[in-house]
Amino acid sequence: MKTIIQKVNPECFGDGELEKACDILKGGGLVAFPTETVYGLGGDALSPEAAHKIYEAKGRPSDNPLIVHIADMDSLYDVAGQIGKKAVALAEAFWPGPLTMIFPKRAKVPVSTTGGLDTVAVRMPVHPVAAALIRCSGIYIAAPSANTSGRPSPTKAEHVIEDMDGRVDMILDGGPVGIGIESTIVDMTEETPIILRPGYITKENMEKIIGAVDIDPAVLTEPKKDVAAKAPGMKYRHYAPKGKLAIVEGDSMKVIEKINMLVREREREGKKAAVIAAKESREFYRCSEVYCIGSRKNEGSIAAGLYDILRQMDHIGAEYIYAESFAEDTLGQAIMNRMLKAAGYNRIKV
Ligand code: AMP
Ligand code: MG
């Protein structure tokens, strides 16, 4: 398949520029597009054939459900039922934006889209290209992240091209995304909503609007084999670079010392090692490959840089990667959730 790659300036484009993309979507094809979180791989959410194409292009297990993207509140009532007051309040506060809510699905949403579940995950993105694409095509867009299953999510069009060139009909290149990690997912089918995947919208943000919100304990711990994950996707190894990644935790000076020691050991074995460090500590590493992920004073910068750095590890052929850890509150919780999954929960405590 020849993939069309089209540049779109998110700050300045006419809906006419998206005509080709909309035609592809309406015809059952696949278009990758930027959202505020990561790039999505879009297809018609009400078409089982489009859902199958998405799973195939990503190499994604078909029990891992897709998020349905909408552009207005009427669409929410069209695809989902039992939308209570708390959900409406969260939608008013955070939509359009990086929040995904789970509800019982309506019959028109095929189980191919929901990975066999009778619930559906819905999100209203704020990115101008994503929003315009939903509006112009007039469909609901099922869109997982536009990466090969298991690889780091794409935050730049180059990442999408790396994974999806030749596998999808079109890639819309709207430049780097803003947030850089996937949406917060909250299950609204329980009396007290439960966060299944942490993201830019935090527990604290939501509690200000609706009171108590729980967090699935699987968010920061390795999922147990015999316990079914509430978000089926969270049970898979994810976001992973090809090299062996370890997260080193503890007092910051001891972490630096430990990482320097591990790097020395690997280099003595003739292996290629790399370090992922915060801006504040990068100068203390004695390693030729030190990558700065962002400043500890600005967690947003760390989230935005994470997946690009994990992909760079593949580009330089790092066999061993040692990363500093980050605080597990607010946005740091989402960052650590992704890093731990990328590391297959390989943490070294010092
Ligand atoms: P991605 O599309 O790559 O952002 O991944 C979507 C995530 O949403 C996966 O972890 C899915 O398991 C989760 N998800 C989607 N729909 C549902 C649902 N109905 N119930 C629980 N989790 C869901
Ligand atoms: Mg994904």
Side-chain angles (χ1 to χ4, degrees), residues 67-93:
I67 295 173
V68 175
H69 294 71
I70 58 170
D72 54 48
M73 278 305 275
D74 287 346
S75 306
L76 174 62
Y77 293 97
D78 198 31
V79 295
Q82 293 174 38
I83 296 150
K85 282 201 193 100
K86 288 181 184 174
V88 172
L90 289 179
E92 273 169 6

mmCIF file of all heavy atoms in Angstrom, residues 67-93:
data_model
loop_
_atom_site.group_PDB
_atom_site.id
_atom_site.type_symbol
_atom_site.label_atom_id
_atom_site.label_comp_id
_atom_site.label_asym_id
_atom_site.label_seq_id
_atom_site.Cartn_x
_atom_site.Cartn_y
_atom_site.Cartn_z
ATOM 1 N N ILE A 67 -10.373 3.272 21.451
ATOM 2 C CA ILE A 67 -11.094 4.436 21.971
ATOM 3 C C ILE A 67 -11.851 5.087 20.816
ATOM 4 O O ILE A 67 -11.314 5.245 19.718
ATOM 5 C CB ILE A 67 -10.111 5.427 22.629
ATOM 6 C CG1 ILE A 67 -9.466 4.779 23.867
ATOM 7 C CG2 ILE A 67 -10.810 6.737 22.991
ATOM 8 C CD1 ILE A 67 -8.352 5.591 24.519
ATOM 9 N N VAL A 68 -13.117 5.460 21.075
ATOM 10 C CA VAL A 68 -13.943 6.109 20.056
ATOM 11 C C VAL A 68 -13.861 7.625 20.254
ATOM 12 O O VAL A 68 -14.148 8.136 21.338
ATOM 13 C CB VAL A 68 -15.411 5.623 20.167
ATOM 14 C CG1 VAL A 68 -16.300 6.377 19.187
ATOM 15 C CG2 VAL A 68 -15.481 4.112 19.918
ATOM 16 N N HIS A 69 -13.470 8.342 19.196
ATOM 17 C CA HIS A 69 -13.292 9.795 19.268
ATOM 18 C C HIS A 69 -14.492 10.506 18.667
ATOM 19 O O HIS A 69 -14.921 10.185 17.557
ATOM 20 C CB HIS A 69 -11.996 10.196 18.563
ATOM 21 C CG HIS A 69 -10.766 9.670 19.251
ATOM 22 N ND1 HIS A 69 -10.419 8.337 19.236
ATOM 23 C CD2 HIS A 69 -9.822 10.296 20.002
ATOM 24 C CE1 HIS A 69 -9.310 8.175 19.946
ATOM 25 N NE2 HIS A 69 -8.925 9.346 20.424
ATOM 26 N N ILE A 70 -15.014 11.469 19.419
ATOM 27 C CA ILE A 70 -16.213 12.200 18.995
ATOM 28 C C ILE A 70 -15.930 13.705 19.040
ATOM 29 O O ILE A 70 -14.899 14.130 19.586
ATOM 30 C CB ILE A 70 -17.413 11.874 19.921
ATOM 31 C CG1 ILE A 70 -17.073 12.236 21.389
ATOM 32 C CG2 ILE A 70 -17.783 10.391 19.828
ATOM 33 C CD1 ILE A 70 -18.255 12.188 22.338
ATOM 34 N N ALA A 71 -16.869 14.490 18.477
ATOM 35 C CA ALA A 71 -16.635 15.944 18.440
ATOM 36 C C ALA A 71 -17.716 16.743 19.157
ATOM 37 O O ALA A 71 -17.606 17.966 19.277
ATOM 38 C CB ALA A 71 -16.514 16.416 16.991
ATOM 39 N N ASP A 72 -18.786 16.080 19.649
ATOM 40 C CA ASP A 72 -19.812 16.826 20.393
ATOM 41 C C ASP A 72 -20.539 15.902 21.371
ATOM 42 O O ASP A 72 -20.400 14.681 21.297
ATOM 43 C CB ASP A 72 -20.809 17.500 19.438
ATOM 44 C CG ASP A 72 -21.415 16.491 18.480
ATOM 45 O OD1 ASP A 72 -21.856 15.410 18.930
ATOM 46 O OD2 ASP A 72 -21.430 16.769 17.264
ATOM 47 N N MET A 73 -21.297 16.496 22.285
ATOM 48 C CA MET A 73 -21.956 15.713 23.339
ATOM 49 C C MET A 73 -23.058 14.808 22.786
ATOM 50 O O MET A 73 -23.273 13.716 23.302
ATOM 51 C CB MET A 73 -22.531 16.631 24.424
ATOM 52 C CG MET A 73 -21.520 17.086 25.453
ATOM 53 S SD MET A 73 -20.632 15.727 26.284
ATOM 54 C CE MET A 73 -21.775 15.301 27.603
ATOM 55 N N ASP A 74 -23.767 15.237 21.725
ATOM 56 C CA ASP A 74 -24.821 14.381 21.169
ATOM 57 C C ASP A 74 -24.241 13.022 20.763
ATOM 58 O O ASP A 74 -24.877 11.983 20.924
ATOM 59 C CB ASP A 74 -25.467 15.039 19.930
ATOM 60 C CG ASP A 74 -26.361 16.211 20.336
ATOM 61 O OD1 ASP A 74 -26.676 16.320 21.547
ATOM 62 O OD2 ASP A 74 -26.727 17.016 19.454
ATOM 63 N N SER A 75 -23.023 13.066 20.240
ATOM 64 C CA SER A 75 -22.380 11.818 19.794
ATOM 65 C C SER A 75 -22.154 10.880 20.977
ATOM 66 O O SER A 75 -22.226 9.657 20.842
ATOM 67 C CB SER A 75 -21.040 12.117 19.134
ATOM 68 O OG SER A 75 -21.200 13.056 18.103
ATOM 69 N N LEU A 76 -21.864 11.458 22.158
ATOM 70 C CA LEU A 76 -21.658 10.608 23.333
ATOM 71 C C LEU A 76 -22.920 9.804 23.614
ATOM 72 O O LEU A 76 -22.872 8.580 23.809
ATOM 73 C CB LEU A 76 -21.280 11.459 24.555
ATOM 74 C CG LEU A 76 -21.175 10.673 25.872
ATOM 75 C CD1 LEU A 76 -20.077 9.618 25.807
ATOM 76 C CD2 LEU A 76 -20.922 11.614 27.051
ATOM 77 N N TYR A 77 -24.083 10.482 23.605
ATOM 78 C CA TYR A 77 -25.340 9.777 23.884
ATOM 79 C C TYR A 77 -25.673 8.784 22.777
ATOM 80 O O TYR A 77 -26.384 7.811 22.992
ATOM 81 C CB TYR A 77 -26.479 10.798 24.066
ATOM 82 C CG TYR A 77 -26.295 11.634 25.314
ATOM 83 C CD1 TYR A 77 -25.720 12.897 25.269
ATOM 84 C CD2 TYR A 77 -26.665 11.125 26.566
ATOM 85 C CE1 TYR A 77 -25.529 13.656 26.411
ATOM 86 C CE2 TYR A 77 -26.473 11.871 27.724
ATOM 87 C CZ TYR A 77 -25.907 13.137 27.639
ATOM 88 O OH TYR A 77 -25.713 13.859 28.777
ATOM 89 N N ASP A 78 -25.145 9.031 21.578
ATOM 90 C CA ASP A 78 -25.397 8.145 20.447
ATOM 91 C C ASP A 78 -24.627 6.818 20.563
ATOM 92 O O ASP A 78 -25.098 5.784 20.119
ATOM 93 C CB ASP A 78 -24.998 8.882 19.155
ATOM 94 C CG ASP A 78 -25.605 8.237 17.928
ATOM 95 O OD1 ASP A 78 -26.719 7.661 18.039
ATOM 96 O OD2 ASP A 78 -24.976 8.296 16.856
ATOM 97 N N VAL A 79 -23.429 6.870 21.150
ATOM 98 C CA VAL A 79 -22.625 5.631 21.210
ATOM 99 C C VAL A 79 -22.662 4.941 22.576
ATOM 100 O O VAL A 79 -22.347 3.766 22.691
ATOM 101 C CB VAL A 79 -21.135 5.869 20.823
ATOM 102 C CG1 VAL A 79 -21.023 6.302 19.375
ATOM 103 C CG2 VAL A 79 -20.449 6.858 21.759
ATOM 104 N N ALA A 80 -23.045 5.694 23.634
ATOM 105 C CA ALA A 80 -22.969 5.128 24.991
ATOM 106 C C ALA A 80 -24.255 5.367 25.761
ATOM 107 O O ALA A 80 -25.017 6.284 25.447
ATOM 108 C CB ALA A 80 -21.792 5.760 25.736
ATOM 109 N N GLY A 81 -24.499 4.519 26.769
ATOM 110 C CA GLY A 81 -25.677 4.670 27.629
ATOM 111 C C GLY A 81 -25.260 4.908 29.069
ATOM 112 O O GLY A 81 -24.060 4.929 29.389
ATOM 113 N N GLN A 82 -26.235 5.097 29.945
ATOM 114 C CA GLN A 82 -25.990 5.288 31.394
ATOM 115 C C GLN A 82 -24.939 6.372 31.659
ATOM 116 O O GLN A 82 -23.955 6.138 32.376
ATOM 117 C CB GLN A 82 -25.591 3.969 32.043
ATOM 118 C CG GLN A 82 -26.745 2.960 32.051
ATOM 119 C CD GLN A 82 -26.304 1.594 32.557
ATOM 120 O OE1 GLN A 82 -25.496 1.487 33.471
ATOM 121 N NE2 GLN A 82 -26.870 0.551 31.971
ATOM 122 N N ILE A 83 -25.174 7.533 31.060
ATOM 123 C CA ILE A 83 -24.250 8.649 31.250
ATOM 124 C C ILE A 83 -24.777 9.493 32.411
ATOM 125 O O ILE A 83 -25.763 10.210 32.266
ATOM 126 C CB ILE A 83 -24.126 9.460 29.951
ATOM 127 C CG1 ILE A 83 -23.497 8.552 28.882
ATOM 128 C CG2 ILE A 83 -23.292 10.729 30.147
ATOM 129 C CD1 ILE A 83 -23.927 8.864 27.492
ATOM 130 N N GLY A 84 -24.142 9.351 33.549
ATOM 131 C CA GLY A 84 -24.655 9.995 34.760
ATOM 132 C C GLY A 84 -24.155 11.424 34.916
ATOM 133 O O GLY A 84 -23.404 11.942 34.088
ATOM 134 N N LYS A 85 -24.572 12.018 36.064
ATOM 135 C CA LYS A 85 -24.225 13.421 36.345
ATOM 136 C C LYS A 85 -22.708 13.630 36.444
ATOM 137 O O LYS A 85 -22.182 14.647 36.009
ATOM 138 C CB LYS A 85 -24.836 13.837 37.688
ATOM 139 C CG LYS A 85 -26.312 14.136 37.624
ATOM 140 C CD LYS A 85 -26.676 15.020 38.825
ATOM 141 C CE LYS A 85 -28.187 15.091 39.002
ATOM 142 N NZ LYS A 85 -28.732 14.213 40.047
ATOM 143 N N LYS A 86 -22.029 12.636 37.053
ATOM 144 C CA LYS A 86 -20.568 12.805 37.220
ATOM 145 C C LYS A 86 -19.882 12.865 35.852
ATOM 146 O O LYS A 86 -18.971 13.659 35.649
ATOM 147 C CB LYS A 86 -19.989 11.637 38.034
ATOM 148 C CG LYS A 86 -20.360 11.694 39.503
ATOM 149 C CD LYS A 86 -19.734 10.529 40.255
ATOM 150 C CE LYS A 86 -20.189 10.536 41.706
ATOM 151 N NZ LYS A 86 -19.714 9.343 42.440
ATOM 152 N N ALA A 87 -20.344 12.017 34.936
ATOM 153 C CA ALA A 87 -19.727 11.992 33.602
ATOM 154 C C ALA A 87 -19.977 13.311 32.881
ATOM 155 O O ALA A 87 -19.077 13.861 32.236
ATOM 156 C CB ALA A 87 -20.288 10.825 32.790
ATOM 157 N N VAL A 88 -21.192 13.829 33.024
ATOM 158 C CA VAL A 88 -21.503 15.106 32.367
ATOM 159 C C VAL A 88 -20.628 16.211 32.951
ATOM 160 O O VAL A 88 -20.080 17.044 32.225
ATOM 161 C CB VAL A 88 -23.012 15.433 32.517
ATOM 162 C CG1 VAL A 88 -23.314 16.838 32.008
ATOM 163 C CG2 VAL A 88 -23.848 14.395 31.766
ATOM 164 N N ALA A 89 -20.446 16.177 34.284
ATOM 165 C CA ALA A 89 -19.613 17.202 34.926
ATOM 166 C C ALA A 89 -18.159 17.099 34.456
ATOM 167 O O ALA A 89 -17.501 18.119 34.192
ATOM 168 C CB ALA A 89 -19.698 17.052 36.444
ATOM 169 N N LEU A 90 -17.649 15.864 34.329
ATOM 170 C CA LEU A 90 -16.264 15.703 33.844
ATOM 171 C C LEU A 90 -16.144 16.168 32.395
ATOM 172 O O LEU A 90 -15.162 16.810 32.014
ATOM 173 C CB LEU A 90 -15.814 14.237 33.970
ATOM 174 C CG LEU A 90 -15.566 13.726 35.390
ATOM 175 C CD1 LEU A 90 -15.153 12.253 35.365
ATOM 176 C CD2 LEU A 90 -14.489 14.548 36.110
ATOM 177 N N ALA A 91 -17.165 15.852 31.603
ATOM 178 C CA ALA A 91 -17.143 16.284 30.191
ATOM 179 C C ALA A 91 -17.132 17.816 30.123
ATOM 180 O O ALA A 91 -16.369 18.405 29.360
ATOM 181 C CB ALA A 91 -18.337 15.709 29.438
ATOM 182 N N GLU A 92 -17.970 18.438 30.958
ATOM 183 C CA GLU A 92 -18.005 19.915 30.949
ATOM 184 C C GLU A 92 -16.661 20.510 31.347
ATOM 185 O O GLU A 92 -16.214 21.514 30.806
ATOM 186 C CB GLU A 92 -19.098 20.423 31.891
ATOM 187 C CG GLU A 92 -20.438 20.506 31.199
ATOM 188 C CD GLU A 92 -21.588 20.758 32.181
ATOM 189 O OE1 GLU A 92 -21.333 20.973 33.390
ATOM 190 O OE2 GLU A 92 -22.738 20.712 31.703
ATOM 191 N N ALA A 93 -16.003 19.850 32.302
ATOM 192 C CA ALA A 93 -14.735 20.390 32.799
ATOM 193 C C ALA A 93 -13.557 20.099 31.863
ATOM 194 O O ALA A 93 -12.678 20.941 31.698
ATOM 195 C CB ALA A 93 -14.441 19.815 34.187
#
